[in-house]
């Protein structure tokens, strides 16, 4: 290549090559666009086609939700006129029902307080730099559920008792989703460990359990919980319908999570177990400190996938006559005062946006968490 | 014949000399039908350094992994520091606390920092307060000459540095016996020396060591005995000068002729 190598076989470098800056055209928004959006004729065409589709869709939504929307009115009359968009007065009249269901109006401060406590304990928990994590976990996982339970059901401390049958709306959606998420994760972890256990009895029990719950649709689970379970219980014994749905959802999701987590466990090299054992760690220490943190980190996408799926599946509790957010919206559509061609569209639009915000939030948070935790394997 | 656990320990202590760190008597092990360890008899005195070599698949790793029960032996007796290895989980834990092990692939915990890797067992197994554990860890990290890496993650270190961390992690537990399972085989050639130097330093301080390695220079320098294994058996054992200069068994001669150029 160089003179030195051409003249003889031996070569010694006399000066070391300095590192140079990379060619600049790969950086900057214009270079990026040229490379990724307008790289060739077909790329350019596809770019324009894509932009056109996005613009058309966005226009449809904006047009319906804002431009043609009806903003004020006493009843559905204003929304019945030709070409009307979203019927916002209907949402304004009903939004409290969407949030609280049929919870007694004078007691609605109780769910409001629960929402506030939820935010107050979850937000600092979700931000890693906030101190007192142990206390926070305790508040969120122990104090908050207990306080919420007594606040919502009442019957103590002079609070009026409120039957779960009148709970509804976003309140029920969040209760089912949150209980499902918080209970199913530890349950899934135990099932995953059990399925890999050396003890045949535990392994078989876990396999049977997982395969049973994965083999049955959630609708069936909810139906069985609400209609068939009472047949097996002693006469006079009554388990709350909401509670039964909660247990059903948690067990169902737990079985799915178990398989996701087992996938993560299988990816942990044998050397990690041996390293932990050689240090004298016991089984639970090894699993809790070494294996699980790595396995869970690896399967965050799968776990969050299950949580998002669970959040959306909460709408199925409607079939056992529990009125979640979607159920309340559907029920409100029957109100003759607000009947109009756009009332249903508006209601479902609200449901879609609400669900999307929650699910997208979970998704973004998990992606951020994944990046934050990705310290170990990469340089 | 029924024996309580205590009588077994007492017999182990009584019948056998107490200056033995590891004693293996008639140890056999099978993987399915495959006989990996055949009638292993080995006594290691306290403070003795033993280098074990042999072709791959000869059972040398399996043998030292039996000493801290990463592998289970199916026949014979293994007594480590006066405690006999049995099914008893308590005793296995007790032995593992006294026996440190360094692996070919380091087996550091990638989700923990170097310092956390070292303090983990101190805090959770020895129940040491965190502050104290960190002092111990820093002491040993300084000893293997990488205290400045304490806050990094294993993935950010070179292979040689990772292996030195692994040694420090074991030393933190103040083990009485150290097992090395091919500690330099996965390293780049430039990094072998830094790990071997650390091991030589440890040997000079009188640690009982069993090393599976093909670093014959290391064997010559520190070993009290070199053991050659093949096909699950100890073929030859001798002090290093005699072992290298005058191997007796044909298999040993062949092996040495292939690895010493």
């Amino acid at each position: 290549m160089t003179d030195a190598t051409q003249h003889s076989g031996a070569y010694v470098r006399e000066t070391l090559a300095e590192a140079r800056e990379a060619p600049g055209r790969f950086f900057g928004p214009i270079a990026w666009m040229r490379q990724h959006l307008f790289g060739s004729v077909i790329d350019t065409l596809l770019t324009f086609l894509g932009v056109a589709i996005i613009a058309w869709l966005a226009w449809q939504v904006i047009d319906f939700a804002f431009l043609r929307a009806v903003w004020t009115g006493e009843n559905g009359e204003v929304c019945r006129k030709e070409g009307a968009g979203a019927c916002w007065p209907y949402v304004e009249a009903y939004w409290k029902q969407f949030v609280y269901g049929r919870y007694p109006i004078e007691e609605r401060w109780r769910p409001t307080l629960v929402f506030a406590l939820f935010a107050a304990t979850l937000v600092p928990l979700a931000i890693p730099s906030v101190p007192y994590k142990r206390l926070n976990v305790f508040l969120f996982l122990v104090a908050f559920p207990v306080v919420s339970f007594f606040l919502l059901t009442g019957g103590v401390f002079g609070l009026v008792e409120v039957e779960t049958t009148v709970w509804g709306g976003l309140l029920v959606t969040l209760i089912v989703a949150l209980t499902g998420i918080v209970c199913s994760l530890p349950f899934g972890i135990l099932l995953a460990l059990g399925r890999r256990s050396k003890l045949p009895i535990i392994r078989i029990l876990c396999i049977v359990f997982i395969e049973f719950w994965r083999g049955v649709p959630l609708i069936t689970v909810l139906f069985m919980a609400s209609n068939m379970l009472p047949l097996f219980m002693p006469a006079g014994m009554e388990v709350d319908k909401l509670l039964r749905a909660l247990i059903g959802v948690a067990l169902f999701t737990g079985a799915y999570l178990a398989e996701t987590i087992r996938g993560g466990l299988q990816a942990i090299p044998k050397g990690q177990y041996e390293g932990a054992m050689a240090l004298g760690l016991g089984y639970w220490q090894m699993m809790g400190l070494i294996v699980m943190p790595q396995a869970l980190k690896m399967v965050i996408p799968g776990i969050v996938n299950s949580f998002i799926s669970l959040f959306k599946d909460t709408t199925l509790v409607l079939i056992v006559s529990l009125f979640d957010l979607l159920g309340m919206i559907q029920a409100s559509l029957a109100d003759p005062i607000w009947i109009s061609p756009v009332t249903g569209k508006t209601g479902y639009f609200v449901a879609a946006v609400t669900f999307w915000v929650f699910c997208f939030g979970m998704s973004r948070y998990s992606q951020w968490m994944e990046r934050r935790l990705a310290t170990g394997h990469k340089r | 014949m029924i024996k309580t656990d205590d009588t077994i320990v007492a017999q182990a202590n009584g019948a056998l000399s107490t200056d033995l760190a590891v004693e293996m008597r008639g140890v056999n092990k099978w993987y399915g039908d495959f006989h990996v360890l055949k009638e292993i008899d080995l006594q290691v005195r306290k403070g003795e350094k033993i280098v074990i070599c042999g072709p791959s698949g000869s059972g040398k790793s399996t043998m030292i992994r039996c000493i801290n029960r990463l592998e289970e032996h199916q026949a014979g007796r293994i007594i480590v520091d006066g405690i006999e290895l049995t099914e008893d989980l308590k005793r296995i834990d007790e032995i593992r606390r006294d026996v440190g092990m360094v692996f070919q692939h380091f087996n550091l915990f990638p989700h923990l920092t170097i310092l956390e890797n070292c303090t983990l067992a101190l805090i959770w197994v020895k129940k040491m307060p965190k502050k104290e554990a960190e002092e111990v860890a820093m002491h040993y990290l300084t000893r293997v000459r990488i205290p400045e890496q304490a806050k990094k993650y294993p993935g950010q270190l070179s292979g040689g540095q990772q292996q030195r961390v692994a040694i420090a992690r074991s030393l933190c537990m103040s083990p009485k016996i150290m097992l090395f399972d091919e500690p330099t085989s996965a390293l780049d050639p430039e990094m072998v020396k830094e790990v071997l130097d650390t091991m030589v330093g440890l040997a000079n301080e009188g640690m009982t060591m069993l090393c599976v390695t093909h670093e014959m220079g290391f064997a010559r320098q520190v070993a009290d005995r070199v053991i050659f294994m093949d096909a699950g058996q100890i073929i030859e054992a001798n002090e290093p000068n005699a072992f290298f200069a005058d191997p007796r068994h044909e298999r040993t001669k062949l092996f040495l002729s292939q690895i010493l150029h």
Side-chain angles (χ1 to χ4, degrees), chain A residues 76-200:
Chain A
E77 192 61 46
V78 283
C79 303
R80 277 175 219 144
K81 69 171 194 272
E82 194 68 26
C87 186
W88 293 121
Y90 145 74
V91 177
E92 200 190 338
Y94 262 104
W95 75 268
K96 284 189 174 159
Q97 288 217 25
F98 294 169
V99 174
Y100 301 107
R102 295 193 236 288
Y103 210 88
I105 292 170
E106 63 278 13
E107 302 296 330
R108 276 181 187 165
W109 62 271
R110 283 152 60 175
T112 310
L113 186 56
V114 167
F115 287 140
L117 287 174
F118 174 55
T121 49
L122 180 67
V123 170
L125 190 65
I127 302 171
S129 58
V130 177
Y132 305 116
K133 278 280 174 284
R134 265 165 210 260
L135 174 71
N136 204 330
V137 167
F138 171 80
L139 286 177
F140 182 69
L141 291 180
V142 182
F144 167 67
V146 171
V147 170
S148 302
F149 175 78
F150 286 115
L151 258 179
L152 290 173
T153 51
V156 285
F157 310 122
L159 293 170
V160 184
E161 194 174 344
V162 181
E163 296 268 343
T164 58
T165 44
V166 299
W167 301 12
L170 192 61
L171 177 65
V172 160
T173 299
L174 288 181
I175 288 174
V176 176
L178 191 66
T179 320
I181 287 170
V182 170
C183 297
S184 64
L185 187 61
F187 189 58
I189 290 174
L190 288 179
L191 279 175
L193 290 177
R195 189 160 184 170
R196 286 167 62 87
S197 167
K198 279 186 203 141
L199 307 172

Side-chain angles (χ1 to χ4, degrees), chain B residues 8 12 16 21-29 37 40-42 62-86 91 95 99 177:
Chain B
I8 297 177
L16 309 160
V22 179
E23 167 148 39
M24 302 177 99
R25 282 202 189 279
V27 172
N28 281 276
K29 177 172 176 61
L37 293 181
I40 299 285
D41 281 305
L42 176 66
T62 309
M63 184 177 83
I64 69 163
R65 287 157 61 89
C66 281
I67 295 172
N68 66 349
R69 250 294 150 124
L70 290 184
E71 303 280 354
E72 203 175 316
H73 61 286
Q74 282 128 7
R77 298 175 67 184
I78 300 177
I79 295 133
V80 183
D81 199 35
I83 306 168
E84 177 157 13
L85 270 172
T86 58
R91 274 199 224 167
I95 286 172
V99 179
I177 301 159

Side-chain angles (χ1 to χ4, degrees), chain A residues 271-272 274 277 285 289 294 376, chain B residues 65 96 107-108 110-111 124:
Chain A
Q272 292 291 307
E274 289 176 352
M277 284 193 281
Q285 288 176 333
L289 297 168
Q294 295 185 62
Chain B
R65 287 157 61 89
R96 282 177 180 165
N107 297 353
L108 295 179
H111 62 303
W124 291 91

